Amino acid sequence: MLPEELAAEFKELGLPSFRAKQVFGWLSRGVSDFADMTNLPRDLRIALAERYEIPALTMLRKQVSAQDGTVKFLWRLPDGESVETVLMRYKHGNSVCISTQVGCRMGCAFCASTLGGKIRDLRASEILDEVIRTGIEAQAEISNIVLMGIGEPLDNYDNVIRFLRLVNHPEGQNIGMRHISLSTCGLVEGIDRLAQLNLQLTLSVSLHAPDDETRSKLMPINRAHGVDALYDACERYFQKTGRRISFEYAMVRDMNDSPRHASMLADRLRGTGAHVNLIRLNYVSERGLLPSTEERVREFAKRLSDAGVTVTVRRRLGSDIDAACGQLRRGQMRKP
Ligand code: SAH
């Protein structure tokens, strides 16, 4: 609950609104037991514990990359399911990559998170707790959030929006919307709904191919909304929010990495102000697809920039702990 909602709830119990503020403050600092909320009277702590639960995450595993200090956490959810979160350390601050669902039902051909399908949505409190507990367990101040872990954020729309309001709240984590990126495989209705909220976050669209033929092979969602519909939704999003879209493009050998693909992409994006993030596919053994060669990636990037499209090539972080994009899965796979 947001502090305002908590205040309304507490009012019904005859409690003054500053109590809600106090409880929200404790929860935001990761306190998961009412008994530890020491500025509340003892009787009240007992009464709250009888009435409410604090479904906190508990840490199952923490892996630290020897290469770059990236940390991957596996959390246990209150019902025994689990998800992963990754902390990346950059010069400009710490960024946390969070999961929004237990598993995923989008079925992208290159991604490990969707193996085994979707088990359930995460609650807003669980998504928030990924951020809070990562900060505590890694002793890191979190300045940026990317919704690029396990799950499709726009397939868990209400919980994700509630999470954004919680993490953005000045009495909580107070992370500005401009420090948050939400990545989607391209749910057109979800993009339109999000546009109406006019949040100042960065929308990343996982494009991965400029044309229907290639994209439908990689991403089943493209059979529901083709690339034309997706580009149109992105344009509406930009018109409504004034925020430029960032397109993710994972380079898959001999699938989407040809000069022809680069030209098609450039033709679409030239002049739109959109930004392309190229990333070499991370190899996922179950998936069989191979990363493009580094040379191909460089050529592709050059073609885009020569055509006037801004492009960056992503660095890989945490690959020694399987923390890189598309590799998050162990946390949600039940042991056979
Ligand atoms: N469901 C959302 C967010 C999670 S995935 C989305 O689709 O955007 C985060 C990013 O990692 C997406 O761009 C996704 O396409 C990409 N990704 C998935 N598997 C990958 C892999 N094996 N190598 C590189 N990127 C991958």
Side-chain angles (χ1 to χ4, degrees):
M1 283 184 199
L2 288 156
E4 303 77 51
E5 295 166 332
L6 204 54
E9 172 93 12
F10 277 13
K11 196 171 177 197
E12 281 176 29
L13 305 179
L15 294 170
S17 64
F18 73 91
R19 294 290 179 213
K21 230 178 159 126
Q22 289 174 320
V23 170
F24 189 80
W26 286 113
L27 293 173
S28 299
R29 273 170 279 151
V31 168
S32 58
D33 191 340
F34 288 106
D36 297 333
M37 300 186 179
T38 48
N39 59 359
L40 305 183
R42 212 168 155 270
D43 293 354
L44 179 57
R45 287 183 244 164
I46 294 168
L48 290 176
E50 277 169 7
R51 206 169 229 279
Y52 300 103
E53 49 156 356
I54 303 175
L57 309 186
T58 49
M59 193 173 78
L60 286 175
R61 198 170 65 211
K62 174 180 176 182
Q63 289 169 277
V64 183
S65 163
Q67 295 165 358
D68 50 45
T70 297
V71 191
K72 183 169 79 168
F73 292 99
L74 175 66
W75 309 110
R76 184 186 186 282
L77 303 170
D79 64 350
E81 296 296 346
S82 48
V83 287
E84 289 174 305
T85 305
V86 178
L87 175 83
M88 293 157 290
R89 301 176 193 273
Y90 296 104
K91 284 197 206 80
H92 64 262
N94 296 313
S95 189
V96 62
C97 175
I98 56 174
S99 298
T100 53
Q101 296 178 316
V102 182
C104 183
R105 62 192 185 110
M106 295 297 136
C108 297
F110 43 80
C111 183
S113 296
T114 196
L115 296 164
K118 180 182 103 171
I119 294 168
R120 70 169 174 87
D121 289 331
L122 289 182
R123 298 161 70 170
S125 61
E126 292 169 327
I127 307 173
L128 180 65
D129 218 18
E130 290 182 64
V131 178
I132 295 173
R133 272 179 218 286
T134 296
I136 294 171
E137 298 292 349
Q139 295 182 316
E141 180 122 8
I142 311 274
S143 45
N144 293 278
I145 300 177
V146 297
L147 284 77
M148 296 190 184
I150 299 167
E152 166 51 48
L154 298 183
D155 187 42
N156 184 15
Y157 186 88
D158 292 340
N159 288 317
V160 164
I161 300 303
R162 172 169 282 275
F163 156 73
L164 292 171
R165 304 232 185 262
L166 285 164
V167 83
N168 179 236
H169 202 284
E171 285 164 39
Q173 265 47 49
N174 196 18
I175 295 182
M177 288 292 176
R178 285 173 184 262
H179 295 263
I180 302 177
S181 293
L182 184 152
S183 182
T184 178
C185 65
L187 301 185
V188 164
E189 280 163 39
I191 292 173
D192 281 331
R193 276 179 84 187
L194 189 65
Q196 294 312 312
L197 299 181
N198 201 7
L199 304 175
Q200 292 298 296
L201 49 74
T202 299
L203 180 65
S204 287
V205 172
S206 300
L207 188 62
H208 304 321
D211 60 298
D212 282 327
E213 195 193 335
T214 316
R215 195 166 192 268
S216 292
K217 280 188 211 149
L218 293 170
M219 306 178 74
I221 185 68
N222 198 68
R223 295 170 212 153
H225 323 281
V227 278
D228 284 339
L230 180 54
Y231 287 125
D232 288 350
C234 290
E235 176 59 21
R236 288 193 296 274
Y237 187 88
F238 174 60
Q239 292 303 334
K240 176 77 195 169
T241 65
R243 302 283 294 166
R244 299 211 157 108
I245 311 270
S246 170
F247 288 101
E248 308 292 306
Y249 199 106
M251 304 271 306
V252 188
R253 187 178 302 177
D254 299 331
M255 279 287 283
N256 63 359
D257 63 349
S258 72
R260 190 176 63 90
H261 286 104
S263 312
M264 283 192 285
L265 186 60
D267 289 345
R268 283 292 192 160
L269 300 186
R270 192 182 290 117
T272 63
H275 183 99
V276 177
N277 267 311
L278 292 180
I279 173 172
R280 261 182 95 208
L281 183 80
N282 287 302
Y283 180 68
V284 173
S285 58
E286 292 89 337
R287 293 318 221 165
L289 297 169
L290 295 173
S292 303
T293 60
E294 289 190 20
E295 196 190 344
R296 267 274 153 129
V297 178
R298 271 197 306 274
E299 280 170 17
F300 199 93
K302 184 163 186 312
R303 272 178 192 274
L304 290 181
S305 66
D306 286 351
V309 176
T310 55
V311 52
T312 44
V313 180
R314 279 263 181 102
R315 265 194 311 148
R316 285 151 59 95
L317 291 177
S319 46
D320 58 330
I321 53 170
D322 282 353
C325 286
Q327 296 184 331
L328 296 183
R329 77 184 187 289
R330 293 283 169 225
Q332 48 96 12
M333 300 286 271
R334 290 214 184 90
K335 299 279 175 302

